[in-house]
């Protein structure tokens, strides 16, 4: 049923109706506002030589470890060194009571003098009998006895000299010295302890700390794959033929001194199917201590032509699959799944999914998605976002 208005209100209704129609016409003729295009910054991928690195776990080991032991029996009189200090080879560490050893030394010297006197007498008798046997004044048997006595006396002198040398060595062992240079630990005995009874008694331990070794383990599968790639020419060895090593500290930072790979072990651990690799690092400040758990990054080969992307350009989906956003020639965004290799500083090595010359988004990823049209921002200018983006 149509609406009827009183005569007095009809002009007002007509005016309102015309106003609404004009407003509708204005809305219809007003063009839609276009959303501003997001700005992103990209990096054009290029083939470059890349170091193939492997991060492995292991332990710090001292290159040389010496257990200081008592080599003679006796009572410890004094500990000379300071525990935890650095010692040089030949430094005095302990003093063992030398009195019994000195007495043995003097006895051996006296025994040598007695043997020398016997030898002197036997030599003179052998010389006299030699002249008399030529004149038939003594029998040949008597001369042979004199000759045998002379030879026995000469052997007794040699035995006495060896006993004296042994006594001299034992007397020297009463002064215990450092066999190697390094840092010495705590003393395992105190003054008054009886040592060297029946077996050598441990007194202390010295470890060489500079340079120091880091032993890490790598699976034979990874090592064999690396060797096959080297033989096939896909990878190249380092220029000097020796892999460099970087030690990763507890806070994730790199150790300030570069190391080198010394060798790989010749046998495989049957329980883990892994092989041990030994690297060496300078340790002038003694920051690295034996037994510490460390991670070592080894540069085992070089890929002549490789691709890499900044780590900030990689995003992962809910399944953890790495992806990047690529901008084509029409400035349109597409999503690309990639296969990543090892991390090199702040970059990921890419083995599959990208090609040289492609443009990967490195800034502005949070404001775009696949299929969007974007604008490339100059590298020297900051990215401008619109509508609160």
């Amino acid at each position: 049923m149509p609406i009827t208005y009183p005569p007095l209100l009809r002009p007002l209704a007509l005016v309102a109706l015309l106003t609404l129609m004009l407003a509708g016409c204005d809305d219809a003729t007003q063009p839609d506002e276009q959303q501003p295009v997001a700005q992103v910054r990209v990096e054009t991928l290029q083939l470059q030589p890349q170091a193939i690195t492997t991060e492995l776990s292991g332990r710090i080991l001292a290159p040389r470890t010496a257990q200081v032991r008592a080599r003679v029996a006796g009572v410890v009189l004094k500990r000379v060194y300071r525990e935890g200090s650095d010692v040089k080879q030949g430094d005095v560490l302990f003093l063992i009571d030398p009195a019994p050893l000195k007495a043995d030394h003097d006895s051996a010297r006296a025994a040598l003098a007695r043997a020398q006197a016997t030898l002197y007498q036997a030599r003179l008798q052998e010389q006299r009998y030699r002249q008399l046997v030529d004149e038939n004044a003594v029998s040949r048997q008597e001369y042979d006895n004199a000759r045998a006595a002379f030879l026995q006396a000469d052997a007794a002198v040699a035995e006495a000299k060896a006993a004296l040398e042994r006594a001299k060595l034992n007397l020297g062992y009463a002064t215990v010295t450092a066999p190697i240079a390094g840092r010495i630990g705590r003393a395992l005995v105190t003054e008054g302890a009886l040592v060297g009874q029946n077996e050598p008694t441990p007194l202390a331990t010295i470890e060489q700390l500079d340079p120091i070794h880091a032993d890490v383990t790598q699976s034979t599968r990874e090592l064999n794959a690396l060797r096959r790639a080297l033989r096939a020419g896909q990878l190249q060895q380092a220029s000097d033929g020796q892999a460099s090593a970087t030690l990763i500290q507890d806070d994730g930072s790199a150790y300030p001194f570069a190391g080198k790979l010394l060798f790989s072990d010749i046998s495989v651990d049957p329980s883990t199917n892994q092989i041990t690799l030994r690297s060496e690092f300078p340790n002038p400040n003694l920051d690295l201590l034996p037994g510490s758990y460390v991670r070592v990054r080894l540069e085992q080969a070089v890929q002549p032509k490789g691709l890499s992307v900044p780590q900030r350009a990689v995003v992962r989906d809910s399944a953890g699959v790495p992806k990047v956003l690529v901008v084509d020639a029409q400035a349109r965004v597409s999503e690309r799944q990639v296969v990543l290799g090892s991390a090199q500083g702040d970059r990921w090595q890419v083995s599959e999914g990208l090609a040289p010359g492609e443009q990967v988004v490195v800034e502005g990823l949070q404001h775009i998605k696949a299929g969007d049209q974007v604008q490339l921002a100059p590298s020297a200018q900051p990215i401008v976002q619109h509508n609160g983006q």
Side-chain angles (χ1 to χ4, degrees), residues 32-65:
D32 293 337
E33 294 183 0
Q34 295 182 353
Q35 294 294 332
V37 178
Q39 285 189 344
V40 296
R41 185 165 291 124
V42 299
E43 178 181 311
T44 303
L45 301 183
Q46 297 179 355
L47 293 175
Q48 295 179 344
Q50 294 178 348
I52 303 301
T53 63
T54 307
E55 191 167 304
L56 305 171
S57 302
R59 298 269 179 193
I60 294 294
L61 295 176
R64 301 172 68 192
T65 301

Side-chain angles (χ1 to χ4, degrees), residues 57 79 97 105 186 199 205 293 332-333 378 383:
S57 302
R79 171 175 60 83
D97 185 7
H105 177 269
R186 62 184 180 88
E199 63 180 10
T205 301
Y293 174 82
R332 191 166 296 279
V333 178
I383 295 178

Side-chain angles (χ1 to χ4, degrees), residues 335-386:
E335 191 177 66
R336 193 76 57 80
Q337 182 175 331
V338 293
V339 177
L340 302 179
S342 60
Q344 305 293 324
D346 61 347
R347 303 181 69 86
W348 282 110
Q349 291 181 345
V350 179
S351 56
E352 295 181 16
L354 294 174
E358 291 188 310
Q359 299 183 19
V360 175
V361 180
V362 295
E363 291 186 25
L365 292 93
Q366 66 273 24
H367 306 294
I368 61 174
K369 63 182 181 300
D372 289 351
Q373 195 79 20
V374 295
Q375 179 182 359
L376 303 185
S379 59
Q381 297 181 4
I383 295 178
V384 179
Q385 303 297 340
H386 304 278

Side-chain angles (χ1 to χ4, degrees), residues 15-317:
V15 171
L17 180 60
L18 291 175
T19 302
L20 291 175
M21 292 177 64
L22 291 175
C25 292
D26 292 341
D27 293 341
T29 58
Q30 186 176 1
D32 293 337
E33 294 183 0
Q34 295 182 353
Q35 294 294 332
V37 178
Q39 285 189 344
V40 296
R41 185 165 291 124
V42 299
E43 178 181 311
T44 303
L45 301 183
Q46 297 179 355
L47 293 175
Q48 295 179 344
Q50 294 178 348
I52 303 301
T53 63
T54 307
E55 191 167 304
L56 305 171
S57 302
R59 298 269 179 193
I60 294 294
L61 295 176
R64 301 172 68 192
T65 301
Q67 287 189 341
V68 182
R69 295 177 178 267
R71 304 176 68 176
V72 292
V75 176
V76 176
L77 296 181
K78 184 179 181 181
R79 171 175 60 83
V80 179
Y81 76 96
R82 182 172 56 87
E83 294 176 313
S85 63
D86 294 327
V87 297
K88 298 179 181 179
Q89 185 177 2
D91 286 353
V92 177
L93 305 178
F94 294 90
L95 296 178
I96 298 176
D97 185 7
L101 304 174
K102 181 65 167 54
D104 294 340
H105 177 269
D106 294 343
S107 177
R109 177 178 292 177
L112 174 60
R114 182 170 59 252
Q116 288 174 337
T118 303
L119 174 62
Y120 175 75
Q121 181 181 9
R123 181 186 295 112
L124 292 180
Q125 187 172 3
E126 190 270 339
Q127 291 174 354
R128 294 193 191 100
Y129 277 32
R130 185 188 306 166
Q131 297 174 358
L132 295 176
V133 74
D134 293 338
E135 300 173 357
N136 295 322
V138 295
S139 65
R140 191 71 184 179
Q141 182 63 47
E142 291 177 323
Y143 170 74
D144 290 342
N145 293 340
R147 177 67 180 173
F150 166 71
L151 295 177
Q152 290 177 357
D154 187 59
V157 169
E159 183 179 5
K161 287 182 178 179
L164 178 61
E165 186 65 25
R166 169 64 67 181
K168 186 183 297 184
L169 288 174
N170 289 338
L171 182 59
Y173 292 154
T175 302
V176 182
T177 58
I180 63 172
R183 174 157 292 189
I184 189 169
R186 62 184 180 88
L188 302 179
V189 297
T190 60
E191 290 82 353
L194 179 62
V195 297
Q197 290 293 107
N198 301 325
E199 63 180 10
T201 304
L203 304 179
T205 301
I206 302 175
E207 292 183 325
Q208 179 182 314
L209 301 179
D210 185 26
I212 203 163
H213 290 166
D215 281 8
V216 296
T217 55
Q218 185 177 21
S219 68
T220 55
R221 179 181 58 83
E222 295 177 355
L223 194 59
N224 291 334
L226 178 64
R227 290 172 176 170
R228 286 193 295 267
L230 289 171
R231 295 190 187 102
Q234 300 173 357
L235 303 177
Q236 297 177 355
Q237 288 187 341
S239 57
D240 56 356
Q242 189 175 41
S244 61
T246 302
L247 190 144
I248 308 302
Q249 301 183 110
D250 296 339
D251 58 356
S253 62
Y255 184 63
F257 299 98
K260 58 183 178 181
L261 180 65
L262 294 182
F263 66 89
S264 59
D265 208 345
I266 60 176
S267 60
V268 178
D269 187 346
S271 60
T272 61
N273 201 32
Q274 292 183 331
I275 193 169
T276 300
L277 307 176
R278 171 164 292 178
S279 53
E280 183 181 77
F281 293 90
N283 192 25
N285 302 322
L286 304 183
D287 295 329
L288 305 177
L289 298 178
S292 303
Y293 174 82
V294 293
R295 291 177 294 142
V296 177
R297 184 181 298 134
L298 295 176
E299 295 185 5
Q300 296 177 294
V302 176
Q303 187 174 11
K305 297 180 180 180
L307 292 177
S308 66
V309 294
Q311 291 186 359
R312 65 180 184 274
V314 179
V315 295
R316 297 180 183 271
D317 58 16

